[in-house]
Amino acid sequence: MSKGRVVSARGASESAELLKGAGVVFSGHLAGRALSFFYHLLLARFLGPMGYGVFLLSLALFTFAAQLTDLGLRAGVLRESATARGRGEWGTVKGTIIGGALLALGASLLGAAGLVAVTRPAAAWFKAPDLAWLLPLFALSLPFAALGTISVSSLQALRRMGALTVIQYLLDPGLRIVALIGLALLGW
């Protein structure tokens, strides 16, 4: 027998699945980036330079709070759920996802309260009075963002790359565009 590579049927199947998943995620990522670019283009056009600057400042503070309240749960849920899935321990997968979601929800609620608490000092520090009403709106979305992050990690651990791609790269920026157009049509 030759010493060449022998690819088992299982190995070929796993390689094909990996390639398919990578293609789906890559395509979705490109489409999502295009949608996100279009969203920011519309947002800058509707808000003007000052309004867009305040929006980006609020987004930066929100992102900082989201990173603080992550607690490593995104990576932990992904790793532990994928490991348990590989062993066929579905009860552990479910418990890891639910436990991670509950911890993320609690941490994000505390983070949202902290974000609201620093609203007025941040508005004064950055000399941006509009930050005082915009930052609390971002704070309200922090728990939803945390649960969304856990959901995406769970989908990735369960190898549901199509659903992950649709939610993370298409639905998220798509809904932002629809909401922005809706607010513009309402005269906001």
Side-chain angles (χ1 to χ4, degrees):
M1 181 155 201
S2 84
K3 291 187 178 189
R5 292 187 190 191
V6 177
V7 178
S8 69
R10 180 177 177 198
S13 170
E14 287 177 356
S15 294
E17 182 182 354
L18 179 65
L19 233 100
K20 180 182 172 192
V24 167
V25 171
F26 180 72
S27 300
H29 188 74
L30 282 178
R33 288 291 184 175
L35 285 172
S36 185
F37 175 76
F38 183 63
Y39 167 72
H40 280 275
L41 193 67
L42 287 175
L43 196 61
R45 177 76 174 123
F46 287 135
L47 296 179
M50 291 292 287
Y52 187 62
V54 171
F55 173 83
L56 289 180
L57 180 57
S58 296
L59 183 62
L61 293 170
F62 166 82
T63 302
F64 180 72
Q67 293 296 321
L68 284 178
T69 60
D70 179 67
L71 305 176
L73 291 169
R74 178 183 49 83
V77 167
L78 172 60
R79 181 179 183 275
E80 296 303 320
S81 296
T83 301
R85 179 193 173 278
R87 291 190 306 252
E89 297 172 0
W90 295 103
T92 303
V93 171
K94 182 179 176 183
T96 301
I97 293 169
I98 291 172
L102 291 174
L103 284 171
L105 182 60
S108 64
L109 287 171
L110 288 173
L115 205 53
V116 168
V118 302
T119 296
R120 293 217 182 272
W125 173 268
F126 290 109
K127 296 178 178 59
D130 286 342
L131 198 61
W133 67 267
L134 188 57
L135 198 53
L137 294 178
F138 273 89
L140 285 175
S141 68
L142 192 57
F144 298 104
L147 292 175
T149 299
I150 297 298
S151 298
V152 166
S153 291
S154 303
L155 289 170
Q156 192 174 359
L158 297 171
R159 292 185 179 178
R160 303 281 193 253
M161 302 315 282
L164 177 141
T165 301
V166 167
I167 291 170
Q168 187 174 16
Y169 299 122
L170 302 177
L171 191 61
D172 180 34
L175 287 175
R176 289 179 192 194
I177 291 170
V178 168
L180 181 60
I181 291 171
L183 288 172
L185 291 175
L186 291 173
W188 179 74

